[in-house]
Amino acid sequence: MLPLYICSAIFTLLYFAHVQQPTAAQITAPWEVNALRAIRGSLSDPNGFLNNWNRGDPCVANWTRVICYNVTAKDDGYFHVQELQLLRLGLSGTLAPELGQLSRMKIMDFMWNKITGSIPKEVGNITSLELLLVNGNQLSGSLPDEIGLLPNLNRIQIDQNNISGPIPKSFANLNKTKHFHMNNNSLSGQIPPELSRLPSLVHMLLDNNNLSGYLPPELAQLPKLLIIQLDNNNFSGSSIPPSYGNITTLLKLSLRNCSLEGPAPDVSGIPQLGYLDVSWNQLTGPIPSGQLASNITTMYTTNKACAMNSKNVYNK
Ligand SMILES: *[C@@H]1O[C@H](CO)[C@@H](O)[C@H](O)[C@H]1NC(C)=O
Ligand SMILES: *[C@@H]1O[C@H](CO)[C@@H](O)[C@H](O)[C@H]1NC(C)=O
Ligand SMILES: *[C@@H]1O[C@H](CO)[C@@H](O)[C@H](O)[C@H]1NC(C)=O
Ligand SMILES: *[C@@H]1O[C@H](CO)[C@@H](O)[C@H](O)[C@H]1NC(C)=O
Ligand SMILES: *[C@@H]1O[C@H](CO)[C@@H](O)[C@H](O)[C@H]1NC(C)=O
Ligand SMILES: *[C@@H]1O[C@H](CO)[C@@H](O)[C@H](O)[C@H]1NC(C)=O
Ligand SMILES: *[C@@H]1O[C@H](CO)[C@@H](O)[C@H](O)[C@H]1NC(C)=O
Ligand SMILES: *[C@@H]1O[C@H](CO)[C@@H](O)[C@H](O)[C@H]1NC(C)=O
Ligand SMILES: *[C@@H]1O[C@H](CO)[C@@H](O)[C@H](O)[C@H]1NC(C)=O
Ligand SMILES: *[C@@H]1O[C@H](CO)[C@@H](O)[C@H](O)[C@H]1NC(C)=O
Ligand SMILES: *[C@@H]1O[C@H](CO)[C@@H](O)[C@H](O)[C@H]1NC(C)=O
């Protein structure tokens, strides 16, 4: 039998060998673990989908719907959360500000739950965020300016909530954002002309809000724009900027029931335009058939002052 002091020395050696191995403690960054606990704590999860969020380590024990990077980070040696995939879990409650601590997250997905409260401004701290998906909840409050600082955001999907207040001017900095899905909320005020700086924007969906003011002519400068939907807002008495006839990339222009006046747009220079809806406005006169692209398949132009007569066109 070895003397006790030798055992002790061996133990000490083994102990230090163990802790000095950088690969020995492969765990999730402790601040991210705390953040996940806080996120879970401010949600209500009646079906218990997130019950394992109190057992072991999130990235090691595979907490439900938490996707981690598959290797520890070179700079700090910890695992980090890459995605939160919390769609369609019947969750209610609110979004915790601690979400901002998940600073390496790329996908934040809370779609189709019953979450209330507002989008925390701390989401603006998640500089790696690519997809912000919270559509189909009951969120209210206004959009934080801080979201406009997300340099990697590809898509902002907040549609079908009850978010109010203006579209922040800071959103004009979202250089990588392709999709603005903000329809069916209570957004109000002027569409910021500054949004014309967005180099990647493809879908501008702002229909079914409470927007007012005028339609910014500058939006014609958006180089990649395919879809504009602004239906059911109230731009009381403004006209459709002639520059919109210059958005040669457009596939769809939908301005139904927007309280617009003045002449109908000349869209003859938009070769791929397949869908045009300017109905339920007070436009003066019809769209001359010479001002239509040959490819148009769906078109609504009728209202009190304006009728349309063309074989390719559906009146409504
Ligand atoms: C977590 O998932 C990984 C990869 O899918 C698997 O190898 C591991 O055994 C899982 N761990 C637990 C505790 O379920
Ligand atoms: C880890 O992820 C990277 C990048 O997503 C991938 O290329 C690699 O194959 C993955 N490794 C394992 C062991 O899953
Ligand atoms: C996170 O965001 C808040 C509010 O936007 C800010 O005050 C704070 O400094 C940020 N924290 C970090 C670590 O960036
Ligand atoms: C949505 O928000 C608006 C303005 O904040 C409010 O008047 C309205 O009652 C809300 N609607 C719902 C369904 O919560
Ligand atoms: C977006 O791009 C413009 C022009 O390239 C640049 O001046 C600006 O700093 C960029 N903004 C961000 C937030 O990266
Ligand atoms: C958006 O709101 C409009 C008008 O209230 C409604 O007709 C439409 O179904 C809504 N869209 C969605 C996707 O909920
Ligand atoms: C819509 O905006 C107007 C101001 O432009 C405001 O008076 C009205 O209460 C808003 N309506 C809703 C439903 O938010
Ligand atoms: C037109 O939009 C207003 C809100 O701006 C809405 O109250 C009204 O129901 C809409 N009318 C039609 C015909 O869609
Ligand atoms: C649009 O707004 C104007 C001015 O605020 C108002 O007079 C008009 O009734 C509104 N129209 C609709 C359809 O809400
Ligand atoms: C459309 O674009 C052309 C060429 O860039 C320009 O000369 C013209 O003024 C523009 N028209 C409108 C209405 O903006
Ligand atoms: C009409 O659409 C077809 C198929 O989408 C496309 O190939 C063609 O170039 C379009 N015509 C014009 C005039 O742009």
Side-chain angles (χ1 to χ4, degrees):
M1 203 192 204
L2 287 168
L4 186 61
Y5 66 91
I6 294 181
C7 275
S8 173
I10 289 171
F11 177 80
T12 307
L13 275 171
L14 283 172
Y15 179 75
F16 279 106
H18 182 74
V19 294
Q20 278 168 7
Q21 284 283 340
T23 52
Q26 296 210 313
I27 56 168
T28 307
W31 59 92
E32 296 195 10
V33 182
N34 290 338
L36 289 168
R37 291 204 178 102
I39 292 161
R40 167 75 185 81
S42 58
L43 292 169
S44 161
D45 172 27
N47 301 309
F49 286 116
L50 309 182
N51 279 353
N52 73 355
W53 280 37
N54 51 17
R55 283 176 223 147
D57 182 87
C59 297
V60 179
N62 301 341
W63 286 9
T64 301
R65 308 292 191 101
V66 179
I67 316 281
C68 297
Y69 289 90
N70 60 12
V71 290
T72 51
K74 286 207 173 70
D75 55 344
D76 64 13
Y78 290 118
F79 284 120
H80 294 275
V81 175
Q82 185 174 26
E83 304 176 13
L84 276 186
Q85 292 283 5
L86 301 178
L87 66 160
R88 292 190 197 276
L89 296 179
L91 304 172
S92 55
T94 60
L95 298 175
E98 286 83 353
L99 277 161
Q101 300 282 314
L102 303 178
S103 60
R104 305 192 191 202
M105 180 161 62
K106 289 185 174 172
I107 302 179
M108 172 180 151
D109 183 352
F110 287 89
M111 295 189 291
W112 309 113
N113 287 291
K114 297 170 191 163
I115 298 169
T116 53
S118 55
I119 300 176
K121 62 182 185 312
E122 287 78 4
V123 167
N125 286 347
I126 313 174
T127 50
S128 43
L129 197 63
E130 293 173 8
L131 307 184
L132 173 53
L133 311 173
V134 296
N135 52 294
N137 282 286
Q138 294 158 17
L139 294 166
S140 57
S142 53
L143 288 170
D145 290 344
E146 287 81 355
I147 289 178
L149 303 174
L150 290 171
N152 294 301
L153 196 65
N154 172 288
R155 188 181 271 263
I156 170 165
Q157 247 172 243
I158 59 161
D159 49 293
Q160 300 185 65
N161 282 288
N162 196 20
I163 293 168
S164 57
I167 301 168
K169 285 192 176 60
S170 68
F171 281 25
N173 296 313
L174 292 168
N175 278 356
K176 293 209 180 143
T177 308
K178 293 182 177 158
H179 297 266
F180 267 27
H181 293 194
M182 307 190 187
N183 54 289
N184 293 71
N185 277 290
S186 300
L187 296 170
S188 60
Q190 171 69 44
I191 297 175
E194 291 84 353
L195 297 185
S196 63
R197 295 207 308 257
L198 290 166
S200 312
L201 196 67
V202 169
H203 289 180
M204 178 181 274
L205 312 186
L206 297 172
D207 52 288
N208 296 296
N209 277 292
N210 191 23
L211 297 167
S212 58
Y214 62 92
L215 297 181
E218 295 88 345
L219 295 185
Q221 294 160 19
L222 287 164
K224 303 242 170 95
L225 198 59
L226 300 181
I227 298 179
I228 299 181
Q229 285 177 201
L230 299 173
D231 320 59
N232 302 320
N233 286 290
N234 185 355
F235 305 105
S236 44
S238 319
S239 54
I240 302 174
S243 63
Y244 287 15
N246 263 355
I247 314 179
T248 52
T249 48
L250 271 190
L251 303 177
K252 177 175 181 181
L253 178 61
S254 201
L255 303 172
R256 180 190 186 89
N257 185 35
C258 284
S259 307
L260 293 164
E261 293 175 14
D266 177 355
V267 292
S268 56
I270 310 182
Q272 315 278 349
L273 190 70
Y275 188 109
L276 174 68
D277 188 346
V278 292
S279 66
W280 298 98
N281 288 292
Q282 291 80 46
L283 302 184
T284 47
I287 298 182
S289 55
Q291 294 186 357
L292 282 173
S294 54
N295 264 1
I296 205 131
T297 58
T298 308
M299 179 160 159
Y300 307 99
T301 55
T302 333
N303 59 34
K304 275 176 269 174
C306 160
M308 182 70 210
N309 209 357
S310 169
K311 60 180 175 188
N312 241 352
V313 159
Y314 307 89
N315 281 319
K316 206 181 175 189

